[in-house]
Amino acid sequence: MLVKINGSAVYGVEAIPITIEVNWMTTAKDPSIVGLPDNAVKESLQRVESTFKTNGFEMPRTKVVVNLAPADIKKSGTAFDLPIAIGILAASEQIKNVEAISQYVIMGELSLDGTIRPIKGALPIAIQARKQGFKGLVVPEANAREGGMVNNLKVYGVDHIKQVIDFFEQEETGLAPILVNTRDEFFNAQYDFEIDFADVKGQENIKRALEIAAAGGHNAILIGPPGAGKTMLAKRLPTILPPLSLQEALETTKIHSVAGKLPENATLISKRPFRSPHHTISDAALVGGGGVPQPGEISLAHNGVLFLDELPEFKRTVLEVMRQPMEERKVTISRARIALDFPANFMLIASMNPCPCGFYNHPDKECTCPPGAVQKYLNKVSGPLLDRIDLHVEVTPVPFSELSAIKKEQNSEMIREKVINARALQAARFKDQEGIYANAQMSSKMLKEICTIDNVGQMLLKSAMTKLNLSARAYDRILKVSRTIADLEGSETIKPEYLAEAIQYRSLDREGWAG
């Protein structure tokens, strides 16, 4: 008997429908799987056979052929175990209600005793199932809330194969679809932060720089000695960013679902992600890759913050692969058979010591680095990458008088309100520009129309460009940052003082900064 089971496979951040066709023949040969399966899919037959033996079902002694269609797309992972098992049981008439099975998408990994283990990509699979008009989705219990975020689709969570068999044999009874109040859970958790900018003593100029970065979506680098608070400040940046919209939350959750990074029983990601990879990370781990490409750290930071601590310690090749995604806000992973796009719209926040010993330009401690060591250390980060970072901010140690002072610091909520107001101005400004919502994303053509400056500002900028020997890209960055400062101040025009503040955030461009 020929049976067709509906499944799905995840490529990039989207799912595509896969039909699991099962047929058995009279010849006595070992079962086989065709349709470009990888080793994990081929091994499913051993897991299925053990499940059948453990739970009192029979593996057909005749030849069983399992075809994963379309057959020209490579199938990978263990999520096909459950649909293959249900297909074999239906083809051998151990399950009678084949008509009901055809109305559902079924996915899950089997243990040898029939327990169903979690899978990756339940959210995009649920979205695809709804798009195709299926009645429901059967997934592991651990993924049920993730799939349940999709409206107008019945999602059933199961933890054992017997539950699935009983569900179909008993006319789709015995299981209740998961109910998730996505909107309430999402909005209730948006501002639930454990850290706050009020925890940081002093460093008002750094807080101001990060406020500007958040308001305009600008990249920033913090340069200062060890213990000055660079990491502490960077970790608090998500607390002042505007809250995720539902659409952004869905995009972010899909990426984390595909990568298998969602915690058990998770729903929509409610806070902007903050990713901080170790400096030993490889190129593929940062931008994504693998036989079947998986999202890397820059995609996991989509709609959030990518923090690179101790930037010069990262391999140069790793940093250089970020240059194109930073401009295009996506990364394309190409293989012989497939090319996939992963979104990568992130804010880059980096930190670094000013020299190998860490105390160059320190107000109290003396730098012990030999001549030329400071410049050599800074040269580990390429000029083109620094050009793509809008704000270069020097972080100095906090004096004891400020650390011990008892005063009320500006908290994240107060800063976030200003950031949200500035972003609202930008949203109105770019309402007709698809894919652009912040000043950092403006093109050079848009700069001429939006970032007009008066004669005094022109002279100031000309002087800075000449003295600091800035590149054309740095010129664009200064205009974008000054536009953001104007938005924070509620000004329609870019005043010379806004330009002056933006220029001072180009520390690494100053001639002789590194001696």
Side-chain angles (χ1 to χ4, degrees):
M1 179 178 178
L2 174 64
V3 171
K4 296 184 179 182
I5 308 294
N6 302 300
S8 199
V10 177
Y11 287 88
V13 293
E14 304 295 337
I16 61 171
I18 300 293
T19 303
I20 297 92
E21 302 174 330
V22 183
N23 200 4
W24 63 282
M25 306 170 189
T26 55
T27 53
K29 290 186 178 180
D30 292 334
S32 61
I33 299 179
V34 296
L36 284 183
D38 70 353
N39 286 336
V41 179
K42 290 176 182 177
E43 291 168 354
S44 69
L45 287 173
Q46 278 69 46
R47 291 189 290 272
V48 168
E49 186 168 6
S50 174
T51 294
F52 287 176
K53 184 176 181 180
T54 306
N55 293 281
F57 299 102
E58 292 184 6
M59 188 74 171
R61 295 299 96 192
T62 56
K63 182 175 177 61
V64 175
V65 178
V66 179
N67 179 45
L68 307 178
D72 60 342
I73 298 175
K74 188 173 180 63
K75 320 301 185 306
S76 63
T78 55
F80 292 103
D81 290 1
L82 183 57
I84 288 173
I86 297 299
I88 292 174
L89 290 174
S92 59
E93 300 184 357
Q94 296 177 74
I95 295 179
K96 308 293 184 183
N97 195 358
V98 178
E99 178 64 28
I101 296 174
S102 66
Q103 300 177 57
Y104 289 82
V105 172
I106 304 170
M107 297 299 288
E109 177 188 337
L110 287 174
S111 295
L112 298 184
D113 62 354
T115 303
I116 299 175
R117 298 173 57 82
I119 62 171
K120 295 180 180 179
L123 178 56
I125 289 172
I127 293 171
Q128 181 62 32
R130 183 184 64 179
K131 189 184 297 182
Q132 289 183 271
F134 284 104
K135 184 176 179 180
L137 169 68
V138 178
V139 289
E141 183 71 40
N143 301 111
R145 284 174 60 80
E146 183 185 336
M149 289 185 278
V150 179
N151 297 328
N152 303 319
L153 179 74
K154 292 181 179 180
V155 178
Y156 298 90
V158 292
D159 53 25
H160 198 277
I161 191 172
K162 281 189 173 180
Q163 287 180 290
V164 185
I165 296 167
D166 292 344
F167 176 67
F168 290 118
E169 286 289 83
Q170 297 170 11
E171 302 294 330
E172 303 167 62
T173 60
L175 288 177
I178 190 78
L179 297 176
V180 180
N181 195 331
T182 306
R183 287 178 176 271
D184 283 355
E185 292 187 15
F186 172 69
F187 289 115
N188 289 339
Q190 279 191 313
Y191 301 110
D192 185 18
F193 294 104
E194 296 180 358
I195 55 178
D196 195 283
F197 262 93
D199 305 332
V200 183
K201 295 283 188 178
Q203 303 290 24
E204 298 304 326
N205 60 324
I206 317 303
K207 293 177 184 177
R208 168 65 174 175
L210 292 180
E211 177 185 323
I212 294 168
H218 301 290
N219 302 320
I221 183 169
L222 308 177
I223 312 115
K230 303 185 295 294
T231 303
M232 185 181 187
L233 286 157
K235 285 182 176 179
R236 282 156 177 76
L237 181 61
T239 68
I240 64 171
L241 288 170
L244 286 168
S245 67
L246 275 171
Q247 181 60 38
E248 287 177 327
L250 185 62
E251 290 175 0
T252 306
T253 307
K254 282 170 66 176
I255 296 168
H256 285 249
S257 172
V258 168
K261 300 293 184 183
L262 284 181
E264 192 171 309
N265 296 318
T267 55
L268 276 180
I269 290 175
S270 57
K271 302 183 190 72
R272 294 190 179 272
F274 180 88
R275 304 294 300 182
S276 180
H278 193 261
H279 63 258
T280 55
I281 191 170
S282 66
D283 306 15
L286 186 68
V287 299
V292 176
Q294 291 286 300
E297 287 291 334
I298 63 173
S299 294
L300 292 170
H302 180 61
N303 290 324
V305 177
L306 178 68
F307 177 50
L308 302 184
D309 201 3
E310 303 300 340
L311 188 68
E313 302 303 327
F314 285 78
K315 289 186 292 186
R316 182 135 184 169
T317 55
V318 170
L319 296 179
E320 295 308 297
V321 296
M322 284 200 307
R323 283 160 50 179
Q324 190 173 349
M326 285 172 68
E327 293 288 330
E328 297 183 358
R329 302 190 179 275
K330 68 175 183 178
V331 59
T332 302
I333 309 295
S334 298
R335 296 290 181 265
R337 290 180 175 271
I338 195 168
L340 300 174
D341 287 336
F342 291 108
N345 183 15
F346 61 92
M347 278 180 62
L348 174 65
I349 304 296
S351 74
M352 60 180 286
N353 294 330
C355 66
C357 80
F359 298 110
Y360 180 76
N361 273 353
H362 195 284
D364 301 317
K365 298 184 179 180
E366 187 176 345
C367 175
T368 59
C369 298
V374 178
Q375 189 61 55
K376 183 178 179 181
Y377 187 72
L378 293 178
N379 285 344
K380 289 184 177 181
V381 184
S382 71
L385 180 62
L386 284 177
D387 263 357
R388 288 170 168 81
I389 298 177
D390 303 353
L391 303 170
H392 305 165
V393 188
E394 289 187 67
V395 183
T396 54
V398 182
F400 176 77
S401 58
E402 288 192 29
L403 281 175
S404 58
I406 302 175
K407 66 174 184 177
K408 190 175 182 180
E409 300 285 349
Q410 194 176 29
N411 63 29
S412 292
E413 185 179 356
M414 297 163 63
I415 302 172
R416 186 169 60 241
E417 285 300 317
K418 293 189 284 185
V419 169
I420 290 172
N421 292 336
R423 286 285 184 104
L425 293 175
Q426 293 166 50
R429 180 182 300 138
F430 303 125
K431 62 182 179 182
D432 298 326
Q433 305 291 334
E434 187 178 353
I436 296 179
Y437 61 86
N439 289 333
Q441 299 170 318
M442 283 191 287
S443 64
S444 297
K445 181 181 178 181
M446 295 171 67
L447 277 176
K448 296 175 184 177
E449 302 170 3
I450 296 169
C451 299
T452 55
I453 53 179
D454 58 21
N455 290 334
V456 177
Q458 288 280 10
M459 293 299 295
L460 176 64
L461 194 50
K462 180 181 178 182
S463 174
M465 291 289 294
T466 304
K467 185 176 180 181
L468 301 178
N469 194 26
L470 300 179
S471 68
R473 186 180 278 115
Y475 171 83
D476 287 355
R477 305 289 176 187
I478 290 171
L479 287 178
K480 290 177 182 179
V481 172
S482 61
R483 179 65 264 172
T484 299
I485 296 171
D487 289 341
L488 282 168
E489 301 300 326
S491 172
E492 292 185 6
T493 59
I494 298 175
K495 299 178 182 178
E497 54 264 37
Y498 303 156
L499 274 171
E501 185 177 0
I503 291 168
Q504 78 167 357
Y505 294 127
R506 302 299 302 181
S507 295
L508 296 179
D509 293 328
R510 289 207 306 266
E511 186 178 354
W513 187 88

